[in-house]
Amino acid sequence: MPAGDARHRGRTAEGRYAAQAMKAAAALLALAAAQAMAAPQEVTVWRHDTGDAEMAASKAMVERFNRSQDKWKVTVQAIPQGSYTEAITAASMVGQLPCVVAIDQPTVPNFAWAGHVQPLDGLLPRASVARLMPGGKGTYKEKLYSVGQFDVVLLLYARRSQLQALGVRIATVDQPYTAEELHAILQRAKASKRFRFPLDLNGRAKGEWVSYGFSPWLQSAGADLIDRTGYLRVDGVLNSPAALGVARYYSRLFKEKLAERNPADERGFEQGRSLLQYTGSWKAREYAARFGDDLVAMPPPDFGAGPKAGAASWQWAVTRNCPAPQGAAAFVDFLISPAEMAAMSRATGLIPVSEEAAALTEHYRPGGDWRIYFDFAARYATPRPATPAYPAISAAFEKTMSDLRSGKDAAEALDEAVEAIERNIARNHGYGFGARKEVASQ
């Protein structure tokens, strides 16, 4: 064989080997790229630590969502509740918020006003949102910014046997106690010498409980914490004649020793020292186990415009700078599906915020033993004012109620709250609802 032909065939073979190697490398690169493209995109979530049952239920939901599809992978960081708000605030200042955050619903407008979270109107399916009761939504300036899975409701607890012994009727959804009737019942209970303080008002609870628990009394009387038509005016609303009547009623409960000003513990009703307890449905499971069929759950008192109850608990929001908003929305939509909402309710005992979810639970379905709580939420729930000023409003109102318990004049206490709230609104230029002139005292 001529040497030239051999060299030519060698070069040809080398070329074929090189081409095959290049094709193999290209195939490997394409496979790696395809695998990279197929890998689910991470969706980061922050939430606060809560009770074991809720945390376990939440973890199970994340696992079900991740198994249900391969486009997104949710990872959750749980932060201690005591430092949770500070952690979110610090992260927002440096642009390090995750995609999804849990937020206490009354503070949602403040987060929206500050630009930390984005509207959900274009992200979540309308049908999913339409199922939700008022306690399942957080809004600001008529836009939706958060949605939730559960709620609680305010009510009066009593023991059937004790009411019967005093000859007191059981209040119902259609015939709640009027404020005057409730006062008369408490006086009768006090006169019986069986109850030192007939009404347990969760007197040791502080913070948001005060606004959550007692601003519905204002709304039931036709007053409110702020004028909700523009979210700028407080004067003439929080210190209106109707509000003043509620403030004096509340103050009288302590003056007449119908409620304890500074209780030593939170077990007055449980231990039979109080006839009635005004609290939330978070006690349902504990009290049902303790009192059985003797337990009676009744509507909040009616101050003239029908009973009212605070609405909404912790909810989910999508942050403004989330790199995967569609994935975040898919996860949030999964959480508010009837099946997942019902799973959370079964694990925690909390009220689901849609009729479809309630129907999937043993307790809250029509005919269920806790259905009355769902009916209260559907009929009486009133969200707290949807304004970024709410934290300031709540703090001022808490101080007012503390002053009333201590015997301060009701008109003076309410006027001070009005001035503090309107000053805060003016300092923040109306929180997006329009500027308001600074008050003269500033």
Side-chain angles (χ1 to χ4, degrees):
M1 178 183 296
D5 290 344
R7 285 195 300 273
H8 174 73
R9 284 194 297 272
R11 287 196 297 270
T12 300
E14 289 173 1
R16 283 199 303 270
Y17 295 149
Q20 289 171 355
M22 289 177 65
K23 287 181 180 180
L28 289 173
L29 288 172
L31 179 61
Q35 289 174 338
M37 291 179 64
Q41 185 173 353
E42 185 178 38
V43 176
T44 54
V45 176
W46 280 8
R47 65 159 302 141
H48 64 299
D49 272 322
T50 53
D52 292 343
E54 184 177 337
M55 293 301 290
S58 182
K59 180 181 178 182
M61 288 179 182
V62 170
E63 292 172 351
R64 284 194 292 270
F65 174 76
N66 286 339
R67 290 196 304 267
S68 71
Q69 45 74 53
D70 57 10
K71 191 173 183 180
W72 316 103
K73 181 181 179 181
V74 169
T75 59
V76 180
Q77 181 177 355
I79 299 172
Q81 186 165 348
S83 58
Y84 183 74
T85 300
E86 290 79 3
I88 289 183
T89 301
S92 67
M93 293 177 67
V94 294
Q96 296 297 318
L97 282 172
C99 264
V100 179
V101 289
I103 308 177
D104 195 9
Q105 190 267 359
T107 67
V108 167
N110 198 281
F111 279 89
W113 168 72
H116 301 324
V117 294
Q118 60 179 293
L120 300 178
D121 303 278
L123 288 174
L124 295 180
R126 290 184 180 180
S128 299
V129 175
R131 287 193 296 261
L132 300 178
M133 294 160 55
K137 294 179 281 190
T139 63
Y140 169 58
K141 298 186 76 172
E142 300 184 355
K143 291 184 177 180
L144 181 71
Y145 281 91
S146 66
V147 291
Q149 292 181 299
F150 54 79
D151 203 357
V152 291
V153 72
L154 292 164
L155 69 150
L156 286 168
Y157 277 118
R159 293 178 61 181
R160 189 184 311 272
S161 57
Q162 292 179 341
L163 293 179
Q164 290 174 344
L166 288 171
V168 173
R169 76 175 182 91
I170 296 173
T172 65
V173 172
D174 294 323
Q175 290 188 305
Y177 294 141
T178 65
E180 294 78 8
E181 183 181 10
L182 175 61
H183 187 256
I185 291 170
L186 296 175
Q187 287 181 317
R188 184 188 303 183
K190 181 81 172 177
S192 74
K193 308 293 187 183
R194 300 176 192 172
F195 307 99
R196 186 179 178 192
F197 297 101
L199 179 59
D200 183 339
L201 289 175
N202 279 348
R204 291 181 61 83
K206 309 297 181 184
E208 184 56 22
W209 157 252
V210 179
S211 295
Y212 173 78
F214 298 104
S215 63
W217 288 17
L218 294 177
Q219 294 140 15
S220 177
D224 209 336
L225 293 166
I226 190 171
D227 178 7
R228 301 194 190 205
T229 60
Y231 288 106
L232 293 172
R233 185 172 66 91
V234 185
D235 191 23
V237 181
L238 181 52
N239 56 357
S240 66
L244 186 58
V246 170
R248 287 173 174 162
Y249 184 97
Y250 179 80
S251 181
R252 193 164 68 248
L253 293 174
F254 300 100
K255 289 178 182 177
E256 297 178 4
K257 296 186 178 180
L258 301 177
E260 191 169 6
R261 182 174 281 113
N262 296 300
D265 57 45
E266 298 178 344
R267 304 183 65 188
F269 175 72
E270 297 172 42
Q271 295 183 348
R273 303 196 308 268
S274 298
L275 173 69
L276 301 169
Q277 183 179 28
Y278 179 64
T279 188
S281 59
W282 51 80
K283 289 286 191 178
R285 181 171 285 175
E286 176 188 348
Y287 283 0
R290 178 183 290 268
F291 299 117
D293 293 339
D294 198 32
L295 182 68
V296 176
M298 301 181 292
D302 179 2
F303 285 83
K308 304 294 180 184
S313 185
W314 285 79
Q315 299 187 348
W316 301 102
V318 178
T319 60
R320 177 72 66 177
N321 297 321
C322 171
Q326 298 302 322
F331 174 61
V332 172
D333 186 42
F334 179 82
L335 294 181
I336 61 172
S337 66
E340 292 303 319
M341 203 180 291
M344 176 61 76
S345 177
R346 286 192 292 269
T348 63
L350 297 168
I351 303 171
V353 289
S354 81
E355 183 68 65
E356 293 83 354
L360 300 177
T361 68
E362 176 186 357
H363 293 300
Y364 296 107
R365 62 178 173 77
D369 56 341
W370 293 353
R371 177 68 181 193
I372 192 169
Y373 303 121
F374 184 86
D375 291 341
F376 287 173
R379 189 157 178 170
Y380 304 137
T382 303
R384 282 155 281 185
T387 168
Y390 182 77
I393 292 172
S394 181
F397 188 68
E398 181 185 6
K399 180 181 182 301
T400 295
M401 302 306 272
S402 176
D403 288 344
L404 292 173
R405 284 198 304 276
S406 299
K408 190 167 189 173
D409 176 73
E412 183 181 353
L414 290 176
D415 284 343
E416 288 180 0
V418 167
E419 184 178 352
I421 295 166
E422 290 203 336
R423 184 183 297 116
N424 178 272
I425 292 172
R427 275 202 305 266
N428 289 280
H429 309 289
Y431 286 107
F433 290 103
R436 186 166 179 81
K437 293 180 180 180
E438 297 282 347
V439 295
S441 61
Q442 261 193 285

